[in-house]
Amino acid sequence: MEKPFPKSTTGQDRVRDPWWDNARFVSATLIVVLHTVGSIMARHDSLHAFHVAAWAFRVPAFVVLAGVFSSAGPLGPRRLRTLLTSIVLPALIFSVLFSLETKALGGPLDLHVAQLPWTLWFLMSLFCWRLLLPLVVQLRHPLLVTTAVALALGYVEEFGLQFSASRTLVYLPLFYFGWRLGQGMLRDWFESRWSLPAAIAGVLGSITVAVLWHRDIQGSWLSMRHAYQADTPLGMEGAWLIRLAVLASAAALVLCLLRLMPRRRVPFVSTLGAGGFTVYLLHPLVILPAREKGLIARADTPVELVALVLCGVLLTAVLASPFTRRLARPLTQPSVGWLLTPSPAPASTPASVPSPAPAPIPAQASAPIPGGAFDRVSTPAHAPDRPQHRGPF
């Protein structure tokens, strides 16, 4: 039986594992930086190469981390309520805010439901992944089946942006892969000495490929949003091989990223990494006005591009700060007492009847994780259910 990774403890003295928070901060920073420079990336080779080199450390890393902190246990009332309060409602709230901001900037007032705007597709996919995981783990070969579905999906035109259907199923293997990492898979990779130089070589290899061939790597290969296109180098018959190579590279590079992350607490980084969920939700609302007003497009010289990247890093730090997280909590952790019935009290055991000894939990069944979508104090995968604490932290 694989030994689950210790993620953190719960209760009065619960603490966060800085390893995961360090990885969250790096991924969140890369996401914000690339969204900051994304509108001018096509005209600057350095930015486009940076985009390709860091792609696996952004969305794929967030997918894997979300899988690490997910539960494959039964979808009981508590877990369903958590999905609603920590994923569905924040997605709807920020979709409305995005629409209102777009209208204030002179655009049309469109309410997005089936196709959430910009980065919010991730929350819709996360909701589906959490629902699918208990089913996926019942398969005899989950990783093989989910990968086969992801590869075959490129030949189905009907799967696209609506309800984030394409990216949900294409990224599902990485989500399951993350869950398996949380269960202790590849533990030797994270603890052995030989894996450290291998991880460094993997990151350097990603940078080398990006510098030499970034213009040859099509954006559709990385976006996972649409069906295959006939103009790929291998044609329609071999397009699935490109997607397979992209997914395998993403999984390998995320492993390299996690191997290189310090496991000890890093000043500022570990604290700010606890705010990855807030960063992910808030940063489009800050970047959109700067982009629409032409402020980002003015950057052209190397000094201005570096300054723009540093602005993205600074924005991440500000949004991830404890002050911003507290200020945004009514939006990222909305109160739902007015919407939901009171949580049912756990059934009590009569004092005269001795309680049976708890049955051991199989390696594939992890306890429900309290809290929100990305940033939480997690329950170790082998631990029994514990009372939930409020919010995603």
Side-chain angles (χ1 to χ4, degrees), residues 5-7 16-26 65 68-69 181-182 185-187 189-191 254-266 269-270 273:
F5 279 109
K7 298 170 186 175
R16 300 185 66 98
D17 188 335
W19 183 27
W20 305 110
D21 284 335
N22 296 338
R24 284 192 190 97
F25 179 74
V26 171
L65 289 172
V68 168
F69 291 95
L181 291 180
M185 186 179 72
L186 298 181
R187 193 180 190 90
W189 166 263
F190 297 108
E191 296 180 347
V254 172
L255 286 177
C256 293
L257 174 70
L258 293 176
R259 181 62 181 88
L260 295 175
M261 281 296 107
R263 296 202 178 193
R264 60 179 177 81
R265 186 171 181 81
V266 179
V269 172
S270 300

Side-chain angles (χ1 to χ4, degrees), residues 13-362:
D13 56 341
R14 56 176 186 256
V15 294
R16 300 185 66 98
D17 188 335
W19 183 27
W20 305 110
D21 284 335
N22 296 338
R24 284 192 190 97
F25 179 74
V26 171
S27 296
T29 301
L30 290 174
I31 288 173
V32 174
V33 168
L34 265 296
H35 284 163
T36 301
V37 303
S39 59
I40 61 174
M41 188 171 59
R43 69 175 196 244
H44 296 283
D45 282 345
S46 57
L47 295 181
H48 194 268
F50 179 45
H51 159 66
V52 173
W55 171 78
F57 308 131
R58 299 188 332 261
V59 172
F62 254 45
V63 174
V64 171
L65 289 172
V68 168
F69 291 95
S70 294
S71 169
L75 288 170
R78 285 181 54 207
R79 288 192 59 208
L80 292 174
R81 293 169 70 97
T82 298
L83 289 177
L84 177 63
T85 57
S86 64
I87 299 177
V88 176
L89 289 181
L92 295 177
I93 290 172
F94 279 87
S95 177
V96 172
L97 291 177
F98 186 91
S99 299
L100 294 176
E101 186 176 63
T102 301
K103 176 63 176 178
L105 293 171
L109 180 61
D110 296 326
L111 295 180
H112 306 273
V113 178
Q115 183 179 329
L116 296 184
W118 209 349
T119 63
L120 294 179
W121 69 266
F122 189 92
L123 296 188
M124 184 172 286
S125 292
L126 181 60
F127 176 74
C128 296
W129 292 328
R130 293 265 171 90
L131 292 178
L132 289 172
L133 185 59
L135 173 63
V136 169
V137 298
Q138 301 303 317
L139 299 173
R140 187 177 295 273
H141 303 290
L143 191 58
L144 178 62
V145 172
T146 55
T147 302
V149 171
L151 301 181
L153 199 67
Y155 293 103
V156 183
E157 289 284 350
E158 287 76 9
F159 282 84
L161 299 178
Q162 296 297 316
F163 296 104
S164 191
S166 178
R167 283 186 284 202
T168 296
L169 294 179
V170 174
Y171 279 121
L172 183 57
L174 292 183
F175 182 79
Y176 172 76
F177 179 67
W179 179 79
R180 289 285 305 191
L181 291 180
Q183 300 301 303
M185 186 179 72
L186 298 181
R187 193 180 190 90
D188 290 344
W189 166 263
F190 297 108
E191 296 180 347
S192 60
R193 292 184 177 180
W194 64 265
S195 62
L196 183 58
I200 295 174
V203 173
L204 293 178
S206 176
I207 296 173
T208 301
V209 169
V211 170
L212 297 179
W213 299 292
H214 64 95
R215 289 297 181 184
D216 297 323
I217 298 176
Q218 300 178 17
S220 60
W221 298 354
L222 308 181
S223 67
M224 310 298 185
R225 292 183 294 180
H226 303 290
Y228 299 141
Q229 299 175 358
D231 60 351
T232 58
L234 300 179
M236 289 294 289
E237 297 80 5
W240 65 273
L241 291 171
I242 295 178
R243 177 166 289 182
L244 177 61
V246 170
L247 289 175
S249 300
L253 289 172
V254 172
L255 286 177
C256 293
L257 174 70
L258 293 176
R259 181 62 181 88
L260 295 175
M261 281 296 107
R263 296 202 178 193
R264 60 179 177 81
R265 186 171 181 81
V266 179
F268 299 107
V269 172
S270 300
T271 300
L272 297 177
F277 185 58
T278 305
V279 172
Y280 198 87
L281 289 174
L282 290 181
H283 80 273
L285 299 179
V286 180
I287 294 175
L288 182 63
R291 188 183 71 179
E292 295 302 312
K293 296 299 183 181
L295 300 179
I296 294 177
R298 296 176 184 175
D300 192 54
T301 66
V303 174
E304 291 171 340
L305 295 180
V306 171
L308 194 60
V309 170
L310 293 178
C311 285
V313 176
L314 179 61
L315 176 60
T316 306
V318 171
L319 297 182
S321 66
F323 173 77
T324 303
R325 299 205 304 266
R326 287 194 299 268
L327 196 64
R329 192 161 295 167
L331 300 177
T332 60
Q333 277 178 245
S335 176
V336 293
W338 58 273
L339 179 63
L340 301 178
T341 60
S343 300
S348 59
T349 304
S352 59
V353 180
S355 300
I361 297 178

Side-chain angles (χ1 to χ4, degrees), residues 5-18 20-21 69 369-370 376-384 386-387 389 393:
F5 279 109
K7 298 170 186 175
S8 60
T9 60
T10 58
Q12 293 181 347
D13 56 341
R14 56 176 186 256
V15 294
R16 300 185 66 98
D17 188 335
W20 305 110
D21 284 335
F69 291 95
I369 303 297
R376 59 168 61 87
V377 179
S378 63
T379 305
H382 58 284
R386 292 188 170 93
H389 63 280
F393 306 103

